[in-house]
């Protein structure tokens, strides 16, 4: 397990209807994390079927690799029965190689997911507050993440947690013929 301050590993009742503990993920959490990731993948696929495939987004091997990556952290939100109801994957990045940008130490939230059946129970808030505390401990300048435009619920949540919009990303679909080839 990677080393970070134990003050972050706290039990907190907060406004949750159950006791939730946020801790660093372990191998035993793999099936729960993959189940929730699959649920989120399907949600995204429903809104963007041209973008998201009907697949399990992570393999068990990739999950285990994430647990061992030096600057990648996987955190889980679990109840008093050790059932995982949410997780987040974060990466600590140093941006120092672009002359036009200031040097920055950023915590990038790659995944932030709460099981659908457990949303609106305070789990996401606890997990996000944990990430804020972890970011401060890592001496990060900021927390950044990306969210799909259709995911209004997530956008509202992140804004409620104090995040501000910083950029827009655009796309232009190009015409394809019946076999899926680009038309000339």
């Amino acid at each position: 397990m990677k080393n970070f301050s134990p003050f972050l590993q706290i039990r907190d009742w907060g406004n949750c209807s159950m006791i939730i503990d946020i801790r660093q993920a372990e191998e035993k959490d793999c099936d729960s994390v993959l189940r929730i990731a699959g649920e989120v993948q399907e949600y995204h696929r429903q809104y963007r079927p041209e973008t998201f495939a009907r697949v399990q987004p992570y393999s068990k091997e990739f999950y285990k690799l994430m647990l061992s990556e030096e600057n990648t952290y996987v955190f889980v939100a679990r109840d008093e029965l050790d059932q995982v109801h949410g997780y987040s994957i974060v990466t600590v990045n140093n941006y120092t190689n672009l002359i036009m940008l200031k040097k920055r130490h950023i915590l990038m939230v790659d995944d932030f997911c709460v099981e659908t059946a457990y949303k609106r129970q305070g789990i996401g808030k606890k997990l996000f507050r944990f990430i804020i505390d972890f970011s401060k401990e890592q001496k990060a300048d900021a927390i950044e993440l990306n969210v799909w435009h259709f995911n209004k619920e997530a956008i509202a949540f992140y804004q409620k947690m104090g995040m501000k919009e910083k950029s827009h990303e655009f796309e232009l679909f190009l015409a394809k013929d019946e076999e899926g080839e680009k038309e000339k």
Side-chain angles (χ1 to χ4, degrees):
M1 203 177 276
K2 296 174 197 141
N3 192 18
F4 61 93
S5 174
F7 88 87
L8 293 173
Q9 301 171 5
I10 57 172
R11 293 182 81 110
D12 179 16
W13 284 260
N15 63 353
C16 230
S17 57
M18 64 182 90
I19 298 170
I20 293 295
D21 182 32
I22 310 297
R23 64 165 168 74
Q24 193 165 355
E26 301 170 4
E27 278 193 37
K28 71 177 184 173
D29 302 314
C30 181
D31 289 341
S32 297
V33 170
L34 295 184
R35 177 181 43 77
I36 297 167
E39 185 180 285
V40 173
Q41 175 76 6
E42 181 58 24
Y43 172 79
H44 285 77
R45 194 192 66 73
Q46 287 175 4
Y47 281 92
R48 293 295 305 255
E50 72 286 351
T51 303
F52 290 93
R54 189 180 298 243
V55 297
Q56 174 61 42
Y58 303 119
S59 67
K60 288 184 178 190
E61 294 75 25
F62 185 73
Y63 174 82
K64 290 176 184 176
L65 180 65
M66 284 190 294
L67 294 181
S68 66
E69 287 289 319
E70 184 178 343
N71 292 321
T72 300
Y73 297 84
V74 182
F75 299 114
V76 293
R78 66 183 181 112
D79 65 19
E80 62 274 14
L81 301 174
D82 205 29
Q83 300 298 307
V84 174
H85 299 298
Y87 77 93
S88 187
I89 301 169
V90 301
T91 308
V92 180
N93 297 312
N94 288 305
Y95 296 103
T96 59
N97 58 346
L98 296 174
I99 195 165
M100 78 283 279
L101 297 177
K102 291 184 175 184
K103 293 178 182 179
R104 298 182 72 205
H105 186 64
I106 304 297
L107 186 118
M108 184 68 182
V109 178
D110 297 312
D111 268 13
F112 187 90
C113 309
V114 174
E115 196 174 3
T116 301
Y118 290 88
K119 287 187 176 184
R120 293 187 177 80
Q121 295 186 34
I123 296 170
K125 285 181 188 176
K126 288 182 184 201
L127 185 55
F128 200 82
R129 287 180 181 141
F130 180 93
I131 290 168
I132 291 171
D133 289 343
F134 179 75
S135 300
K136 289 176 181 176
E137 183 179 276
Q138 296 295 309
K139 302 196 181 342
D141 300 313
I143 298 170
E144 295 184 358
L145 57 83
N146 294 306
V147 61
W148 286 87
H149 181 72
F150 66 79
N151 198 342
K152 305 296 185 200
E153 182 181 24
I155 292 168
F157 171 79
Y158 295 130
Q159 288 172 337
K160 188 174 182 180
M161 296 306 296
M163 297 199 84
K164 306 288 184 219
E165 186 177 323
K166 80 169 200 173
S167 65
H168 295 272
E169 187 174 346
F170 294 91
E171 67 185 338
L172 174 65
F173 285 104
L174 302 176
K176 297 193 181 227
D177 65 17
E178 292 173 14
E179 282 99 40
E181 300 291 323
K182 265 181 30 176
E183 292 181 1
K184 297 179 183 186

